[in-house]
Amino acid sequence: MKIVVERVTKTFHDRGGRDVVALGQVDFAVETQEFVALLGPSGCGKSTLLNIIAGLLPASAGRVYFEGEPRPGRAPVTATVFQEFALFPWRTVRANVELGLEELGLPSPERSERTRRYLDMTGLAGFESRYPHQLSGGMRQRVGIARALAVEPAVLLLDEPFSALDAQTRTLMMDELLGIWERTRQTILYVTHNIQEAVFMA
Ligand code: ADP
Ligand code: MG
């Protein structure tokens, strides 16, 4: 098992002092190379769960195991693609994708090689020197995906990655993400509020 989520609970305290139970005893597992969709309406706790899995937010109770270990054994364990394209506007496409690799401390030739490989995989060859504002929404989200894949995370987390896109682009991007998964067998946890999308993807 790549990830095991065990009785994860999250309670937020809102400003009025009331408790908001965002997650109540959630259990599930994701196997290595599996593509799993998490489906639920807005506000049901999907992003909260992804953030806990990514280690960005502590759970109130319960645990997340990676490959049997309670703590990530080796970095990087996860990389997240957000709904809003979280790109750095002052960096080119190439520099946005390289960013995560700089943080990993990869030597420069390896960074360049990996960046090129994932830009090719996501259909961004030829767009390396553009800036985010020069790209369509779909192209920007390709950069977000390339950046997350380039880190070669144990688990790729996608939080409603295509919901800000128009219907046609969304369908295309869904197909392409499945194509990438077929080639790489990257373990994926995919969050959506769209039933058809969850069924189609997972
Ligand atoms: P989803 O991603 O499924 O739309 P979220 O995980 O964002 O849902 O939110 C789940 C619930 O937790 C919602 O009721 C939301 O208002 C609440 N919540 C999320 N983050 C916070 C926070 N930082 N403080 C208080 N309540 C929060
Ligand atoms: Mg959300």
Side-chain angles (χ1 to χ4, degrees):
M1 288 294 176
K2 204 66 164 183
I3 311 180
V4 175
V5 172
E6 204 178 82
R7 292 194 296 280
V8 165
T9 297
K10 182 69 185 179
T11 307
F12 290 108
H13 308 286
D14 71 10
R15 279 197 221 97
R18 282 167 308 171
D19 288 349
V20 178
V21 179
L23 299 169
Q25 306 237 350
V26 177
D27 288 293
F28 71 98
V30 180
E31 284 185 54
T32 303
Q33 302 194 339
E34 210 174 6
F35 191 125
V36 172
L38 268 175
L39 170 69
S42 171
C44 78
K46 304 180 298 298
S47 296
T48 301
L49 186 52
L50 278 200
N51 287 336
I52 290 170
I53 291 170
L56 301 172
L57 195 68
S60 305
R63 306 189 86 162
V64 178
Y65 296 89
F66 288 97
E67 291 170 338
E69 289 176 44
R71 288 241 72 91
R74 62 193 155 77
V77 172
T78 62
T80 309
V81 179
F82 300 95
Q83 175 182 343
E84 293 306 329
F85 329 112
L87 304 178
F88 292 102
W90 62 87
R91 284 187 158 233
T92 62
V93 166
R94 181 190 289 111
N96 264 286
V97 174
E98 274 204 24
L99 184 69
L101 306 181
E102 287 164 22
E103 280 165 13
L104 286 183
L106 283 190
S108 174
E110 198 180 334
R111 276 202 319 255
S112 309
E113 197 283 318
R114 258 211 223 180
T115 300
R116 196 194 45 73
R117 187 149 36 96
Y118 287 101
L119 287 174
D120 282 351
M121 190 184 287
T122 50
L124 286 165
F127 292 87
E128 297 88 341
S129 303
R130 303 253 188 128
Y131 287 89
H133 77 272
Q134 297 173 309
L135 301 174
S136 65
M139 294 304 268
R140 273 188 293 217
Q141 199 53 310
R142 285 171 197 267
V143 181
I145 292 169
R147 182 174 62 187
L149 285 170
V151 171
E152 300 187 346
V155 185
L156 179 64
L157 306 173
L158 297 107
D159 194 355
E160 312 207 29
F162 306 139
S163 49
L165 304 176
D166 61 82
Q168 245 178 315
T169 307
R170 190 168 77 221
T171 306
L172 182 75
M173 294 293 288
M174 283 161 57
D175 269 334
E176 291 205 16
L177 181 62
L178 280 181
I180 289 170
W181 178 79
E182 271 159 18
R183 292 201 295 285
T184 60
R185 295 287 157 154
Q186 165 72 58
T187 308
I188 292 182
L189 184 54
Y190 183 98
V191 161
T192 178
H193 62 254
N194 183 307
I195 297 173
Q196 285 89 338
E197 196 171 311
V199 170
F200 181 77
M201 296 304 282

